[in-house]
Amino acid sequence: EVQLLESGGDLLQPGGSLRLSCAASGFTFSTYTMTWVRQAPGKGLEWVSSISDNGLYTFYADSVKGRFTISRDNSKNTLFLQMNSLRAEDTAVYYCAKRRGTATILDHWGQGTLVTVSS
Amino acid sequence: DIQMTQSPSSVSASVGDRVTITCRASQDLSSWLAWYQQKPGKAPKLLIYEASSLQSGVPSRFSGSGSGTDFTLTISSLQPEDFATYYCQQARSFPLSFGGGTRVEIK
């Protein structure tokens, strides 16, 4: 059974930094592109970032480019999101998700971790 | 960037009703479109991939159609557990993008 378990969410002040983790199990992690999607309170889904299976290729939404860094450790089956220069508008539940197959369609999602940025 | 426009933003329906949600892309997606269902406080769940393929375990009352720029999600006979918010997502190119969501409410 595929499982994705996010951790690292917290309450912090604007300008702060945070690293989210997503522990994966139940599939061959090293062969799948992985993605972060966020959802602000009461709002819709927003794609944040994706990383290829080998970590060589990364993609970011304009809203986070230059502030967030996606990475992965295939030896530990773990996905990361390093978040710097956090803003109030980054407040959201952050989900990690696994790509289904040949396109970035997300067939398994974690339960999410809440990041709150507030002074 | 590809913009995704969903309609309606909300719909009120009764158990047993047929419900149709549409999604329009600003560029040709071919069939690279997915539909997700999200219930309050839960993660999204994949329903339909590649526009019309039913994800394993999803009831057959859900169906997807369309290609290019216009897509449809249909629930043939609404069940109590289907009251939720539905999102389309284009998977043709980065940056990925989602529709604004359609909330299906009890009439």
Side-chain angles (χ1 to χ4, degrees):
Chain A
E1 179 192 4
V2 172
Q3 291 196 340
L4 298 168
L5 185 61
E6 302 95 336
S7 60
D10 205 349
L11 167 63
L12 60 164
Q13 294 186 342
S17 296
L18 197 63
R19 188 173 86 154
L20 304 183
S21 300
C22 172
S25 62
F27 64 104
T28 307
F29 180 74
S30 62
T31 64
Y32 286 91
T33 292
M34 296 296 294
T35 290
W36 289 98
V37 174
R38 69 184 180 183
Q39 186 169 36
K43 302 298 184 181
L45 302 172
E46 180 188 14
W47 171 76
V48 173
S49 182
S50 297
I51 185 168
S52 63
D53 51 2
N54 57 14
L56 289 181
Y57 302 99
T58 58
F59 306 89
Y60 297 95
D62 285 346
S63 57
V64 306
K65 200 171 295 182
R67 300 187 299 122
F68 289 12
T69 302
I70 191 171
S71 62
R72 63 192 298 161
D73 184 340
N74 285 346
S75 69
K76 296 183 178 179
N77 291 345
T78 304
L79 174 71
F80 302 101
L81 186 67
Q82 176 67 43
M83 311 164 67
N84 298 331
S85 303
L86 281 160
R87 306 166 179 167
E89 53 266 33
D90 296 319
T91 295
V93 173
Y94 285 74
Y95 297 101
C96 68
K98 167 190 164 290
R99 169 172 149 163
R100 182 187 172 279
T102 54
T104 312
I105 289 173
L106 308 170
D107 65 350
H108 289 88
W109 297 62
Q111 86 291 345
T113 189
L114 177 62
V115 174
T116 303
V117 184
S118 174
S119 55
Chain B
D1 297 1
I2 299 174
Q3 313 303 320
M4 304 300 295
T5 304
Q6 252 182 271
S7 62
S9 57
S10 66
V11 57
S12 293
S14 301
V15 172
D17 284 354
R18 181 182 184 91
V19 173
T20 299
I21 300 168
T22 63
C23 184
R24 176 163 288 177
S26 62
Q27 299 178 29
D28 187 348
L29 304 182
S30 183
S31 295
W32 297 119
L33 183 107
W35 290 98
Y36 302 89
Q37 175 193 66
Q38 188 181 33
K39 296 182 179 180
K42 300 295 186 182
K45 172 187 173 183
L46 177 65
L47 299 176
I48 302 287
Y49 63 94
E50 295 173 20
S52 61
S53 296
L54 194 67
Q55 173 71 353
S56 176
V58 174
S60 59
R61 63 181 178 272
F62 291 93
S63 63
S65 64
S67 65
T69 60
D70 293 306
F71 301 88
T72 300
L73 173 71
T74 299
I75 310 172
S76 60
S77 177
L78 199 65
Q79 297 301 300
E81 60 268 31
D82 300 337
F83 292 96
T85 300
Y86 295 83
Y87 295 92
C88 60
Q89 177 234 324
Q90 67 84 10
R92 188 190 181 283
S93 63
F94 290 106
L96 304 182
S97 46
F98 291 87
T102 297
R103 185 175 177 184
V104 177
E105 302 173 315
I106 300 173
K107 190 172 186 178

